[in-house]
Amino acid sequence: MGVRGSEGSAARPFAGDTSSFYARYRREYPDEFVARLREFSHGGRARLLDLGCGTGQLLLQLAPFFEHALGIDPEPDMLREAKRAVRERSIENVEWLRGSSAELQELEPVLGRFDLVTIGTAFHFMEPRATLNALQRLAADGVVAVAYNGTPMWLHPNPGAKALRSVLETRLGQLREADFTAEALRTAEDTMRDLGYSQVERWERTTAETIDVDFVVGHILSATSTDQIPPAQRQEFAREVSSAITAVAPSGRMAETVSVRAVIGHTDHDRTAR
Protein backbone atom coordinates (compact mmCIF):
# COMPACT_ATOMS: atom_id res chain seq x y z
CA MET A 1 0.00 0.00 0.00
CA GLY A 2 1.18 3.56 -0.58
CA VAL A 3 -0.20 7.07 -0.53
CA ARG A 4 2.52 8.51 -2.76
CA GLY A 5 3.55 8.69 -6.38
CA SER A 6 6.84 8.08 -8.12
CA GLU A 7 10.35 7.75 -6.74
CA GLY A 8 11.66 11.10 -5.61
CA SER A 9 8.22 12.71 -5.10
CA ALA A 10 9.26 13.45 -1.53
CA ALA A 11 12.77 13.84 -0.17
CA ARG A 12 12.45 11.14 2.50
CA PRO A 13 8.90 9.75 2.53
CA PHE A 14 9.76 6.82 4.81
CA ALA A 15 11.95 8.68 7.31
CA GLY A 16 11.42 8.85 11.04
CA ASP A 17 8.57 6.95 12.68
CA THR A 18 7.11 5.98 9.30
CA SER A 19 9.82 3.33 9.05
CA SER A 20 8.94 2.01 12.51
CA PHE A 21 5.30 1.64 11.53
CA TYR A 22 6.44 -0.07 8.32
CA ALA A 23 8.39 -2.66 10.30
CA ARG A 24 5.45 -3.37 12.61
CA TYR A 25 2.44 -3.18 10.32
CA ARG A 26 3.52 -4.62 6.97
CA ARG A 27 2.58 -8.27 6.47
CA GLU A 28 5.09 -10.98 5.77
CA TYR A 29 4.77 -12.69 2.41
CA PRO A 30 2.90 -16.04 2.38
CA ASP A 31 4.81 -19.28 2.73
CA GLU A 32 3.72 -20.36 -0.77
CA PHE A 33 5.42 -17.34 -2.33
CA VAL A 34 8.59 -17.81 -0.31
CA ALA A 35 8.62 -21.46 -1.41
CA ARG A 36 8.31 -20.41 -5.06
CA LEU A 37 11.29 -18.06 -4.77
CA ARG A 38 13.31 -20.66 -2.87
CA GLU A 39 13.32 -22.68 -6.09
CA PHE A 40 15.94 -20.22 -7.37
CA SER A 41 18.30 -20.66 -4.40
CA HIS A 42 20.33 -23.49 -6.00
CA GLY A 43 20.23 -25.49 -2.80
CA GLY A 44 21.44 -22.60 -0.65
CA ARG A 45 24.38 -21.64 -2.85
CA ALA A 46 22.80 -18.63 -4.57
CA ARG A 47 23.04 -14.86 -4.11
CA LEU A 48 19.95 -12.75 -3.42
CA LEU A 49 19.40 -9.01 -3.98
CA ASP A 50 16.33 -7.28 -2.55
CA LEU A 51 16.01 -3.88 -4.23
CA GLY A 52 13.95 -1.31 -2.33
CA CYS A 53 14.12 -3.68 0.62
CA GLY A 54 12.49 -1.32 3.12
CA THR A 55 12.59 -2.83 6.59
CA GLY A 56 13.45 -6.23 5.14
CA GLN A 57 10.22 -8.22 5.29
CA LEU A 58 10.80 -10.24 2.11
CA LEU A 59 14.59 -10.39 2.32
CA LEU A 60 14.54 -11.76 5.87
CA GLN A 61 12.09 -14.48 4.89
CA LEU A 62 14.31 -15.55 1.99
CA ALA A 63 17.82 -15.01 3.40
CA PRO A 64 18.07 -18.34 5.31
CA PHE A 65 17.75 -20.20 2.01
CA PHE A 66 20.54 -18.30 0.20
CA GLU A 67 24.29 -18.18 0.67
CA HIS A 68 24.36 -14.39 0.67
CA ALA A 69 21.66 -11.69 0.69
CA LEU A 70 21.97 -7.97 0.03
CA GLY A 71 19.29 -5.39 0.76
CA ILE A 72 19.38 -1.98 -0.95
CA ASP A 73 17.19 0.95 0.06
CA PRO A 74 17.59 4.75 -0.15
CA GLU A 75 16.16 5.45 3.32
CA PRO A 76 18.58 5.02 6.26
CA ASP A 77 15.75 4.78 8.79
CA MET A 78 14.28 1.82 6.90
CA LEU A 79 17.69 0.15 6.89
CA ARG A 80 18.00 0.83 10.62
CA GLU A 81 14.81 -1.14 11.23
CA ALA A 82 15.99 -3.90 8.89
CA LYS A 83 19.29 -4.24 10.75
CA ARG A 84 17.43 -4.46 14.05
CA ALA A 85 15.31 -7.29 12.68
CA VAL A 86 18.43 -9.14 11.51
CA ARG A 87 19.91 -8.94 15.01
CA GLU A 88 16.67 -10.17 16.58
CA ARG A 89 16.52 -13.16 14.24
CA SER A 90 20.27 -13.87 14.42
CA ILE A 91 20.60 -13.98 10.63
CA GLU A 92 24.26 -13.65 9.65
CA ASN A 93 24.40 -13.78 5.84
CA VAL A 94 22.79 -10.39 5.14
CA GLU A 95 24.39 -7.09 4.15
CA TRP A 96 22.75 -3.72 3.65
CA LEU A 97 23.54 -0.88 1.27
CA ARG A 98 22.03 2.57 1.09
CA GLY A 99 21.16 3.23 -2.53
CA SER A 100 18.34 3.42 -5.05
CA SER A 101 17.28 1.86 -8.32
CA ALA A 102 18.60 4.95 -10.11
CA GLU A 103 22.13 4.06 -8.96
CA LEU A 104 22.21 0.47 -10.21
CA GLN A 105 24.37 1.21 -13.25
CA GLU A 106 26.88 3.04 -11.06
CA LEU A 107 26.88 0.25 -8.47
CA GLU A 108 27.02 -2.64 -10.94
CA PRO A 109 30.82 -3.08 -10.88
CA VAL A 110 30.86 -3.61 -7.10
CA LEU A 111 27.62 -5.57 -6.71
CA GLY A 112 28.53 -8.63 -8.75
CA ARG A 113 25.92 -11.05 -10.07
CA PHE A 114 22.78 -12.37 -8.39
CA ASP A 115 20.71 -15.49 -8.94
CA LEU A 116 17.51 -13.84 -7.71
CA VAL A 117 16.52 -10.18 -7.47
CA THR A 118 13.32 -9.27 -5.64
CA ILE A 119 11.42 -5.98 -5.54
CA GLY A 120 8.72 -6.18 -2.88
CA THR A 121 5.97 -3.54 -2.91
CA ALA A 122 8.38 -0.91 -4.26
CA PHE A 123 8.43 -1.07 -8.06
CA HIS A 124 6.06 1.92 -8.37
CA PHE A 125 8.85 4.11 -6.94
CA MET A 126 11.25 3.10 -9.73
CA GLU A 127 11.72 3.93 -13.39
CA PRO A 128 10.56 0.66 -14.97
CA ARG A 129 12.71 0.28 -18.07
CA ALA A 130 15.99 1.55 -16.63
CA THR A 131 15.56 -0.60 -13.53
CA LEU A 132 14.66 -3.84 -15.29
CA ASN A 133 17.35 -3.26 -17.91
CA ALA A 134 20.02 -2.91 -15.21
CA LEU A 135 18.67 -5.95 -13.34
CA GLN A 136 18.76 -8.00 -16.52
CA ARG A 137 22.55 -7.63 -16.38
CA LEU A 138 22.89 -8.02 -12.60
CA ALA A 139 20.83 -11.21 -12.69
CA ALA A 140 22.16 -12.66 -15.94
CA ASP A 141 20.99 -16.29 -16.17
CA GLY A 142 18.88 -15.60 -13.08
CA VAL A 143 15.46 -14.35 -12.07
CA VAL A 144 13.86 -10.97 -11.27
CA ALA A 145 10.65 -11.02 -9.22
CA VAL A 146 8.45 -7.92 -8.82
CA ALA A 147 5.90 -8.54 -6.06
CA TYR A 148 3.08 -6.75 -4.24
CA ASN A 149 1.73 -7.83 -0.88
CA GLY A 150 -1.85 -6.58 -0.86
CA THR A 151 -3.70 -3.66 -2.43
CA PRO A 152 -4.64 -0.21 -1.08
CA MET A 153 -7.06 -0.58 1.83
CA TRP A 154 -9.24 2.30 0.71
CA LEU A 155 -10.06 0.64 -2.63
CA HIS A 156 -11.85 -2.33 -1.08
CA PRO A 157 -15.66 -2.35 -1.42
CA ASN A 158 -16.59 -3.03 2.22
CA PRO A 159 -18.09 -0.27 4.43
CA GLY A 160 -15.03 -0.11 6.69
CA ALA A 161 -12.73 0.59 3.75
CA LYS A 162 -15.09 3.28 2.46
CA ALA A 163 -15.13 4.89 5.90
CA LEU A 164 -11.33 4.85 5.99
CA ARG A 165 -11.19 6.48 2.58
CA SER A 166 -13.41 9.32 3.78
CA VAL A 167 -11.04 10.03 6.68
CA LEU A 168 -7.98 9.93 4.43
CA GLU A 169 -9.47 12.21 1.80
CA THR A 170 -10.45 14.75 4.45
CA ARG A 171 -6.82 14.92 5.51
CA LEU A 172 -4.89 14.25 2.31
CA GLY A 173 -7.20 15.22 -0.53
CA GLN A 174 -8.75 13.00 -3.18
CA LEU A 175 -7.18 9.58 -3.57
CA ARG A 176 -6.74 7.78 -6.86
CA GLU A 177 -9.38 5.31 -8.00
CA ALA A 178 -6.86 3.15 -9.82
CA ASP A 179 -4.98 0.36 -8.06
CA PHE A 180 -1.32 1.37 -8.41
CA THR A 181 -0.19 -2.16 -7.53
CA ALA A 182 -1.99 -3.63 -10.54
CA GLU A 183 -0.60 -0.87 -12.75
CA ALA A 184 2.96 -1.54 -11.53
CA LEU A 185 2.67 -5.27 -12.17
CA ARG A 186 1.33 -4.71 -15.68
CA THR A 187 4.18 -2.32 -16.38
CA ALA A 188 6.74 -4.80 -15.03
CA GLU A 189 5.37 -7.61 -17.17
CA ASP A 190 5.19 -5.51 -20.34
CA THR A 191 8.68 -4.11 -19.79
CA MET A 192 10.23 -7.52 -19.15
CA ARG A 193 8.72 -8.86 -22.37
CA ASP A 194 9.88 -5.80 -24.30
CA LEU A 195 13.43 -6.16 -22.95
CA GLY A 196 13.57 -9.79 -24.00
CA TYR A 197 13.39 -11.59 -20.66
CA SER A 198 13.39 -15.24 -21.75
CA GLN A 199 10.35 -16.24 -19.67
CA VAL A 200 7.79 -14.11 -17.82
CA GLU A 201 5.22 -15.62 -15.49
CA ARG A 202 2.49 -14.39 -13.14
CA TRP A 203 2.07 -15.65 -9.57
CA GLU A 204 -0.93 -14.90 -7.34
CA ARG A 205 -2.55 -16.05 -4.09
CA THR A 206 -5.59 -14.44 -2.45
CA THR A 207 -6.72 -14.91 1.15
CA ALA A 208 -9.34 -13.35 3.41
CA GLU A 209 -8.21 -11.82 6.69
CA THR A 210 -9.86 -9.96 9.54
CA ILE A 211 -8.09 -6.79 10.66
CA ASP A 212 -8.72 -4.39 13.52
CA VAL A 213 -8.52 -0.63 13.89
CA ASP A 214 -5.01 -0.76 15.37
CA PHE A 215 -3.72 -2.58 12.27
CA VAL A 216 -5.53 -0.18 9.93
CA VAL A 217 -4.05 2.89 11.63
CA GLY A 218 -0.54 1.41 11.79
CA HIS A 219 -0.68 0.29 8.17
CA ILE A 220 -1.74 3.73 6.97
CA LEU A 221 1.00 5.40 9.03
CA SER A 222 3.52 3.05 7.41
CA ALA A 223 2.59 4.58 4.05
CA THR A 224 2.29 8.27 4.91
CA SER A 225 5.13 10.64 5.62
CA THR A 226 5.47 12.72 8.76
CA ASP A 227 4.64 15.73 6.57
CA GLN A 228 1.30 14.19 5.61
CA ILE A 229 0.32 13.11 9.14
CA PRO A 230 2.69 14.75 11.65
CA PRO A 231 3.51 12.80 14.82
CA ALA A 232 1.61 15.34 16.94
CA GLN A 233 -1.58 14.53 14.98
CA ARG A 234 -1.38 10.75 15.06
CA GLN A 235 -3.52 10.18 18.12
CA GLU A 236 -6.20 12.39 16.63
CA PHE A 237 -5.91 10.52 13.34
CA ALA A 238 -6.27 7.19 15.15
CA ARG A 239 -9.43 8.44 16.87
CA GLU A 240 -10.85 9.61 13.53
CA VAL A 241 -10.22 6.23 11.92
CA SER A 242 -11.60 4.33 14.92
CA SER A 243 -14.75 6.46 15.00
CA ALA A 244 -15.34 6.10 11.26
CA ILE A 245 -14.84 2.33 11.19
CA THR A 246 -16.81 1.51 14.34
CA ALA A 247 -19.72 3.56 12.99
CA VAL A 248 -20.14 0.93 10.26
CA ALA A 249 -18.48 -2.05 12.03
CA PRO A 250 -19.19 -1.74 15.78
CA SER A 251 -16.70 -4.49 16.66
CA GLY A 252 -13.88 -2.38 15.18
CA ARG A 253 -12.92 -5.31 12.97
CA MET A 254 -13.36 -5.68 9.23
CA ALA A 255 -12.62 -8.20 6.52
CA GLU A 256 -9.88 -7.59 3.98
CA THR A 257 -9.06 -9.56 0.86
CA VAL A 258 -5.28 -9.80 0.59
CA SER A 259 -3.90 -10.53 -2.86
CA VAL A 260 -0.20 -11.29 -3.14
CA ARG A 261 0.83 -11.02 -6.79
CA ALA A 262 4.13 -11.17 -8.60
CA VAL A 263 5.68 -11.02 -12.04
CA ILE A 264 8.65 -13.37 -12.27
CA GLY A 265 11.02 -12.79 -15.17
CA HIS A 266 13.81 -15.14 -16.21
CA THR A 267 16.82 -13.46 -17.77
CA ASP A 268 18.87 -14.81 -20.65
CA HIS A 269 22.66 -14.48 -20.58
CA ASP A 270 23.00 -14.58 -24.35
CA ARG A 271 20.57 -11.68 -24.74
CA THR A 272 22.05 -9.55 -21.96
CA ALA A 273 25.55 -10.06 -23.35
CA ARG A 274 24.64 -8.47 -26.69
Side-chain angles (χ1 to χ4, degrees), residues 115-132:
D115 302 278
L116 173 65
V117 177
T118 54
I119 303 174
T121 314
F123 189 66
H124 55 292
F125 290 107
M126 304 176 187
E127 201 291 313
R129 189 175 186 86
T131 299
L132 292 174

Side-chain angles (χ1 to χ4, degrees), residues 78-96:
M78 296 285 265
L79 293 176
R80 178 200 67 214
E81 292 291 337
K83 292 173 183 177
R84 178 186 56 77
V86 160
R87 291 193 297 270
E88 290 177 353
R89 301 187 191 193
S90 300
I91 299 175
E92 298 180 352
N93 64 329
V94 176
E95 290 186 75
W96 308 99

Side-chain angles (χ1 to χ4, degrees), residues 7-256:
E7 188 173 39
S9 61
R12 294 181 61 192
F14 291 100
D17 287 348
T18 300
S19 61
S20 300
F21 283 105
Y22 201 105
R24 292 173 57 196
Y25 291 99
R26 293 297 178 112
R27 295 180 176 91
E28 288 195 335
Y29 287 77
D31 291 341
E32 299 93 330
F33 185 56
V34 173
R36 177 70 182 103
L37 296 184
R38 281 180 60 186
E39 295 177 19
F40 309 115
S41 68
H42 302 306
R45 300 185 304 276
R47 298 186 76 228
L48 166 69
L49 167 63
D50 190 20
L51 180 63
C53 64
T55 56
Q57 273 87 346
L58 182 55
L59 183 146
L60 295 178
Q61 288 180 262
L62 288 169
F65 307 108
F66 286 76
E67 182 175 353
H68 179 262
L70 172 66
I72 297 180
D73 198 271
E75 175 49 58
D77 288 343
M78 296 285 265
L79 293 176
R80 178 200 67 214
E81 292 291 337
K83 292 173 183 177
R84 178 186 56 77
V86 160
R87 291 193 297 270
E88 290 177 353
R89 301 187 191 193
S90 300
I91 299 175
E92 298 180 352
N93 64 329
V94 176
E95 290 186 75
W96 308 99
L97 177 66
R98 182 181 177 185
S100 72
S101 59
E103 299 170 281
L104 285 176
Q105 185 171 357
E106 176 186 342
L107 293 171
E108 185 175 346
V110 298
L111 291 177
R113 292 291 180 264
F114 296 90
D115 302 278
L116 173 65
V117 177
T118 54
I119 303 174
T121 314
F123 189 66
H124 55 292
F125 290 107
M126 304 176 187
E127 201 291 313
R129 189 175 186 86
T131 299
L132 292 174
N133 189 37
L135 294 181
Q136 197 173 18
R137 296 189 301 272
L138 284 170
D141 286 331
V143 172
V144 177
V146 176
Y148 278 88
N149 195 354
T151 54
M153 282 182 174
W154 64 82
L155 291 180
H156 291 251
N158 62 72
K162 293 179 180 179
L164 170 64
R165 178 168 187 150
S166 178
V167 173
L168 290 173
E169 291 191 328
T170 297
R171 281 186 169 268
L172 305 177
Q174 186 172 2
L175 300 175
R176 296 180 61 200
E177 294 288 345
D179 179 357
F180 72 88
T181 65
E183 292 177 346
L185 288 166
R186 272 195 307 272
T187 299
E189 181 174 8
D190 291 345
T191 305
M192 285 180 181
R193 294 189 187 282
D194 188 52
L195 288 171
Y197 278 62
S198 59
Q199 179 183 341
V200 182
E201 61 181 273
R202 282 276 192 153
W203 190 98
E204 182 170 354
R205 292 290 185 279
T206 299
T207 59
E209 296 187 12
T210 300
I211 56 178
D212 59 19
V213 169
D214 178 70
F215 182 84
V216 172
V217 171
H219 197 74
I220 294 298
L221 291 177
S222 79
T224 49
S225 70
T226 54
D227 291 334
Q228 291 173 303
I229 303 178
Q233 297 180 19
R234 287 178 180 163
Q235 287 189 351
E236 179 186 358
F237 172 71
R239 288 192 294 268
E240 291 171 358
V241 172
S242 178
S243 177
I245 290 178
T246 55
V248 296
S251 68
R253 300 175 67 81
M254 63 184 195
E256 183 179 22

